Amino acid sequence: MRATLPTTTLAILASSLLAAGAPVSYKPEACSVIASGSAECRQAPADFLRIPTGNHAFNNASTEILQDAFSALAVLQNEYYQIGRSTWPSAIDWTAAVTQTVVSGMLSTLTRSLDLVDPGATSSFQGAHENLVSSVYDQIIGYYYGQDIVAIKDEAFDDILWVVLGWIEAMNFARLHDSLHFPKAEHNPNATLPTDIHVALATLPWRGRFWIPSFQSRSQSFWLLGAEGWDTELCHGGMVWNPRLEPYKNAITNELYISASISMYRHFADDSTVDGDPVYLQAAIEGYKWLVNSNMTNDAGLFVDGFHIGGLADGNIECNVRDEMVYTYNQGVLLTGQRGLWEVTGSPSYLADGHDLIQAVINATGWDLEANQPIDAVGVPSELPRWRGLGRGGILEDECDASGTCSQDSQTFKGIYFHHLNEFCRPLDGNSFKEHKSFNVNSFDSVKAAHRSACQAYLGWIKHNALAALETRDARGRYGMWWGAGLVGNSIAVSPQGDGIDHDAANTTDYRNHGTPQDDIWGRVSRWLPGPQKGGLDKQVVARHLESTDTDMDMNMMESVTKSPAGRQMPRSTDPNDRGRGRTVETQVGGLALLRAYWDVSQSVST
């Protein structure tokens, strides 16, 4: 039995989500900021961080970090973006969508922060601000046309949903930039050009807002395509990852569905020209309810990769075979969904879940939040600190980092994590609740203070990672994949056998680096491979072409050999970040997202 996917129309999708019984409606918690305002709620402060916070007061970023983040952006666009092709050609479809998301987010940071570079800026300097920001925004607009939407529509559901998040991020920037620097009485992105020049000067919004309907339309169409992965026949709900393999319900596809859905709802709710569509909210709440009840977290509080349905041919419909592989990005994307659900419902449980997840990740990197320092001794060149589950020495790490064996997919993961951590730790302003008749000011103030305090406590860890990543830059300003290389004195004498990780742990399949096995669990007809393979739809390759070994099929696993122009082999680099795929558009995005998160979170908790 296979999952039956719903049709793509919004009306049918809505009915399919609600048909199983009573609609999934949100009931405010006792201490929701839009609850009744009971005495218990007023007296119960939120508690997202149960440790002293006295060690976290001196980790704020200086404007030098903003400069470093901008430099990372400049290198990304100068080295990897091609104006003639309107894309980052060395990226693959989904990593290009992530790149666009991170660049759009950085534009929001720049439009909020450029005045801090020169507080006494003149009007001409303000014009230079606009020129800088708009130059990068024009490249985002170019990517709107350069994005291979035809190919992505035939890919897996997670690939499709990355597109949604990317264009929502672009819309968020356009609105923010317009509101900060081009305030008008009313904003209409569909406004026509007035015939009178004085009226035009007084009423037209920023030119970038005119692209919002196009970004909005693409987000809508790709959300509808992605939502076809929602299935209620297997495991009582949840998103299917890839319709061309055996059913697999993984963390990333479900997290993307939740975050994309609530982001779509919030976008339309904020748009004066379109009413917020409850189908998006319904999808986000239903998706979150399924995910948190799916048993997809391990004993360390981290999301494992997903669930297979063992015994499907015999009639089993339960998610009963859990893949224990842990990746960094599976801990990040949900943070945007949790933050969005808080904004809509006022329930602090979403924030509490998010902070629990962040703290689980920090602990799994070997960082002591209370002491604000690594758990293990670092700086011993001859040995790696202990692997703690998602890193070592307090530095976030995927299992492929230390050995230099990351695929193009995995090289994107840590940047995704910090992009969504940044979104989660934005300061709470309460604007979505203040007009509500039951808005509870005391409860909101308590939640706001606790959220700020917790995010401030994370700054030492974020700074530790940022400083480590800065050390991986080469002479051209390109970031490496393994931020923790300095922990071993930048030695390359690390292999999968010597990185301290059990790569053969039970029930783990590192398919993001090595591809899916060809078996009854994953599928015998097709196989998913990481990277830019063009063997068929969504990197699927027919079984008869898959008789090669993993090392044969993925050149990303091989160390590059540097040759002179004459073809003679040159000495290998001693830089551990030159191994494998080396420095790429994806590793540059990782450095940018991390530096941006350090700057933004620092600004958020210092105000």
Side-chain angles (χ1 to χ4, degrees):
M1 180 174 59
R2 295 291 188 120
T4 302
L5 302 178
T7 56
T8 59
T9 66
L10 196 62
I12 298 298
L13 176 62
S15 64
S16 70
L17 287 173
L18 304 179
V24 179
S25 59
Y26 172 76
K27 181 178 181 181
E29 298 173 345
C31 285
S32 168
V33 301
I34 53 174
S36 60
S38 66
E40 295 81 2
C41 188
R42 288 193 297 270
Q43 294 172 4
D47 184 10
F48 299 139
L49 190 70
R50 300 169 183 86
I51 62 172
T53 58
N55 294 321
H56 308 289
F58 303 105
N59 291 303
N60 286 354
S62 67
T63 54
E64 183 179 352
I65 292 298
L66 178 61
Q67 172 60 54
D68 288 332
F70 174 74
S71 295
L73 172 67
V75 171
L76 174 66
Q77 297 305 97
N78 294 338
E79 292 266 347
Y80 299 106
Y81 186 88
Q82 289 187 12
I83 292 178
R85 298 176 65 178
S86 297
T87 188
W88 303 266
S90 59
I92 50 180
D93 291 333
W94 85 269
T95 68
V98 171
T99 300
Q100 180 257 310
T101 306
V102 173
V103 171
S104 297
M106 183 60 190
L107 286 176
S108 294
T109 295
L110 288 176
T111 197
R112 285 192 302 261
S113 305
L114 277 178
D115 287 342
L116 297 175
V117 176
D118 183 3
T122 64
S123 58
S124 62
F125 190 67
Q126 292 296 329
H129 286 192
E130 173 59 25
N131 187 47
L132 186 156
V133 170
S134 292
S135 293
V136 181
Y137 185 63
D138 286 345
Q139 295 175 340
I140 295 296
I141 294 171
Y143 176 65
Y144 177 81
Y145 294 102
Q147 188 172 50
D148 193 348
I149 59 174
V150 174
I152 299 172
K153 287 177 180 179
D154 282 329
E155 294 173 359
F157 293 117
D158 58 338
D159 298 288
I160 290 169
L161 290 169
W162 292 115
V163 175
V164 179
L165 290 184
W167 295 113
I168 289 174
E169 195 70 53
M171 289 187 282
N172 289 342
F173 160 71
R175 284 175 164 173
L176 176 66
H177 189 67
D178 183 47
S179 66
L180 290 178
H181 305 295
F182 298 86
K184 306 292 181 183
E186 291 190 22
H187 296 297
N188 179 7
N190 298 311
T192 56
L193 188 66
T195 56
D196 184 276
I197 191 170
H198 300 288
V199 175
L201 290 171
T203 61
L204 277 179
W206 176 57
R207 65 176 180 84
R209 281 191 67 109
F210 290 97
W211 287 96
I212 288 180
S214 296
F215 300 162
Q216 181 175 278
S217 176
R218 182 162 296 177
S219 294
Q220 281 183 295
S221 63
F222 273 78
W223 184 87
L224 286 168
L225 287 171
E228 291 183 18
W230 182 260
D231 158 65
T232 57
E233 291 191 16
L234 302 174
C235 312
H236 314 287
M239 290 285 290
V240 174
W241 170 45
N242 191 321
R244 287 168 288 280
L245 297 176
E246 289 299 307
Y248 184 55
K249 299 200 171 184
N250 60 353
I252 195 59
T253 311
N254 282 278
E255 292 180 14
L256 282 164
Y257 181 60
I258 294 163
S259 294
S261 297
I262 196 61
S263 297
M264 289 291 287
Y265 177 79
R266 291 183 60 211
H267 167 75
F268 284 115
D270 291 343
D271 195 316
S272 61
T273 65
V274 181
D275 292 331
D277 196 313
V279 171
Y280 300 124
L281 178 59
Q282 182 75 25
I285 292 175
E286 179 77 358
Y288 193 82
K289 177 183 176 182
W290 182 86
L291 182 62
V292 297
N293 290 315
S294 67
N295 189 33
M296 211 177 289
T297 52
N298 62 20
D299 292 342
L302 303 173
F303 278 94
V304 299
D305 195 73
F307 272 104
H308 301 279
I309 296 88
L312 184 61
D314 297 325
N316 177 55
I317 62 170
E318 302 297 333
C319 279
N320 60 347
V321 180
R322 197 171 85 169
D323 192 307
E324 301 294 326
M325 190 66 198
V326 176
Y327 297 108
T328 56
Y329 77 153
N330 281 340
Q331 324 309 319
V333 172
L334 186 61
L335 297 174
T336 288
Q338 290 162 328
R339 174 59 190 253
L341 285 164
W342 145 261
E343 296 282 1
V344 172
T345 66
S347 169
S349 67
Y350 292 115
L351 293 179
D353 288 351
H355 283 291
D356 285 345
L357 182 55
I358 293 169
Q359 290 164 38
V361 169
I362 292 174
N363 184 66
T365 67
W367 183 264
D368 186 333
L369 264 178
E370 183 171 359
N372 202 31
Q373 64 184 25
I375 295 171
D376 303 306
V378 298
V380 181
S382 61
E383 61 184 70
L384 283 170
R386 176 183 168 188
W387 173 255
R388 294 283 181 172
L390 267 182
R392 66 188 92 227
I395 297 175
L396 188 66
E397 184 180 326
D398 277 293
E399 289 194 13
C400 57
D401 284 10
S403 58
T405 56
C406 292
S407 69
Q408 190 162 10
D409 293 66
S410 292
Q411 281 193 321
T412 317
F413 289 174
K414 296 197 300 294
I416 292 170
Y417 177 81
F418 277 103
H419 175 82
H420 292 278
L421 172 65
N422 193 1
E423 167 65 17
F424 181 84
C425 271
R426 286 186 301 107
L428 307 182
D429 57 26
N431 290 338
S432 54
F433 312 124
K434 288 178 179 177
E435 302 303 319
H436 196 282
K437 62 181 180 180
S438 299
F439 177 61
N440 187 310
V441 176
N442 292 329
S443 178
F444 170 73
D445 288 343
S446 174
V447 173
K448 178 180 179 180
H451 178 72
R452 178 182 178 275
S453 177
C455 288
Q456 183 180 39
Y458 309 148
L459 265 180
W461 175 73
I462 299 172
K463 177 181 179 180
H464 182 65
N465 278 263
L467 295 179
L470 284 167
E471 292 299 314
T472 70
R473 292 176 297 178
D474 65 6
R476 290 157 58 181
R478 299 177 304 170
Y479 284 78
M481 177 66 192
W482 184 24
W483 298 339
L487 296 175
V488 290
N490 289 313
S491 167
I492 66 170
V494 179
S495 68
Q497 293 74 38
D499 60 10
I501 302 170
D502 182 5
H503 294 283
D504 297 318
N507 304 318
T508 61
T509 304
D510 187 5
Y511 69 100
R512 286 295 181 179
N513 287 303
H514 304 293
T516 59
Q518 189 179 334
D519 58 21
D520 291 333
I521 288 291
W522 291 92
R524 292 191 177 275
V525 176
S526 296
R527 185 180 182 186
W528 182 92
L529 302 177
Q533 285 80 14
K534 299 297 182 182
L537 296 180
D538 185 41
K539 298 170 283 188
Q540 305 301 313
V541 182
V542 179
R544 65 176 178 269
H545 297 307
L546 288 174
E547 298 175 354
S548 60
T549 64
D550 284 340
T551 54
D552 291 330
M553 67 111 179
D554 192 353
M555 293 300 293
N556 295 339
M557 299 300 105
M558 299 178 62
E559 291 190 13
S560 59
V561 177
T562 303
K563 293 186 177 181
S564 69
R568 293 188 302 274
Q569 184 170 319
M570 303 292 288
R572 291 183 184 273
S573 168
T574 58
D575 186 336
N577 277 299
D578 283 340
R579 298 170 302 161
R581 301 193 73 248
R583 292 171 171 84
T584 65
V585 59
E586 289 84 15
T587 63
Q588 192 67 22
V589 168
L592 171 59
L594 170 57
L595 269 291
R596 175 181 174 245
Y598 180 29
W599 169 259
D600 279 351
V601 176
S602 176
Q603 295 299 299
S604 297
V605 302
S606 63
T607 56

